[in-house]
Amino acid sequence: DPDNVVLCLLAADEEEEGDAALQIHFTLIQAFCCENDINILRVSNPGRLAQLLLPATGPEPPADLHCVLVTNPHASQWKDPALSQLMCFCRESRYMDQWVPVINLPER
């Protein structure tokens, strides 16, 4: 349900930038998000994103987090100050013609 999606995270590291299938996948997701007024952020380190979003799972490889949709089932998404700040960041990035801003997640 795109009405409850407030943010799309697209994660790829430098080695995956040349993966044509992943880039086509990202292009289709971005088109869907733009059509449905969903903010998009690009994240540079999927491994670090997995560490932040998933609990420690032991020796298993991290789940595929190339695309993460953040939903907010509440009627007013602006009640959360962190989410409000993130939406303002995305809007300001669009004003500067950066339609898909990039967040660099450093290693720990």
Side-chain angles (χ1 to χ4, degrees):
D1 180 18
D3 292 333
N4 290 335
V5 177
V6 294
L7 179 67
C8 176
L9 296 175
L10 299 176
D13 54 24
E14 290 181 14
E15 295 87 40
E16 296 171 319
E17 292 294 326
D19 183 346
L22 185 62
Q23 295 309 315
I24 290 169
H25 183 71
F26 280 0
T27 300
L28 292 172
I29 291 170
Q30 289 176 38
F32 174 82
C33 290
C34 288
E35 190 171 305
N36 289 286
D37 295 322
I38 299 170
N39 290 302
I40 308 167
L41 281 177
R42 191 91 183 235
V43 179
S44 67
N45 190 341
R48 181 69 177 127
L49 183 63
Q51 291 173 348
L52 293 170
L53 295 180
L54 300 174
T57 57
E60 298 175 19
D64 180 8
L65 292 177
H66 285 105
C67 177
V68 176
L69 296 177
V70 178
T71 60
N72 188 1
H74 304 295
S76 176
Q77 67 188 23
W78 304 109
K79 290 182 180 179
D80 184 342
L83 191 54
S84 175
Q85 210 171 19
L86 188 58
M87 298 303 120
C88 288
F89 171 75
C90 290
R91 185 176 54 245
E92 288 172 7
S93 294
R94 284 191 298 274
Y95 289 151
M96 296 184 299
D97 288 332
Q98 185 180 11
W99 291 94
V100 181
V102 177
I103 304 285
N104 295 314
L105 293 178
E107 293 293 331
R108 273 221 270 202

